[in-house]
């Protein structure tokens, strides 16, 4: 019985430690392209697919800064893709959002 209790306590502590490793992050993205951004995708680095468009039905106009809040992730590394009104894309790979924000310019065109 004592062994079972010890095993259960160990499993409980292991489960709690994995929950504690999830963190919340944010990244401020500034649009300095001269164009309106229609889509913004932010996914964990190395993910095989892009997550949903964080803008939804909104647009991201030139000169604006948008804060993207990222909750319950284990790593601060994210891939970020923006698509403008001309369907041009701007992709940033392996961005450490705990260390930097993004200013998107025409020089970042894919």
């Amino acid at each position: 019985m004592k062994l079972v209790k010890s095993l259960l306590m160990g499993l409980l502590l292991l489960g709690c430690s994995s929950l504690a490793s999830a963190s919340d992050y944010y990244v401020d993205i500034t649009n300095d392209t001269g164009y309106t951004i229609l889509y913004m995708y932010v996914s964990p680095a190395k993910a095989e697919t892009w997550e949903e468009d964080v803008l939804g039905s909104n647009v991201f106009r030139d000169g604006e800064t948008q804060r993207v809040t990222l909750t319950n992730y284990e790593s601060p590394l994210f891939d970020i893709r923006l698509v403008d009104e001309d369907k041009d894309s701007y992709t940033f790979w392996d961005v450490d959002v705990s260390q930097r924000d993004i200013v998107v310019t025409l020089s970042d065109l894919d």
Side-chain angles (χ1 to χ4, degrees), residues 26-43:
Y26 71 86
V27 60
D28 289 331
I29 302 174
T30 300
N31 179 2
D32 195 18
T33 63
Y35 295 90
T36 298
I37 302 292
L38 302 180
Y39 305 99
M40 183 187 306
Y41 305 99
V42 181
S43 296

Side-chain angles (χ1 to χ4, degrees), residues 9-21:
M9 183 59 89
L11 288 173
L12 179 64
L13 290 174
L14 181 63
C16 289
S17 69
S18 67
L19 288 176
S21 66

Side-chain angles (χ1 to χ4, degrees), residues 73-90:
Y73 287 96
E74 293 180 12
S75 168
L77 298 177
F78 291 87
D79 298 334
I80 300 169
R81 174 168 284 168
L82 302 101
V83 180
D84 70 21
E85 59 192 296
D86 287 344
K87 299 191 183 349
D88 293 322
S89 63
Y90 312 79

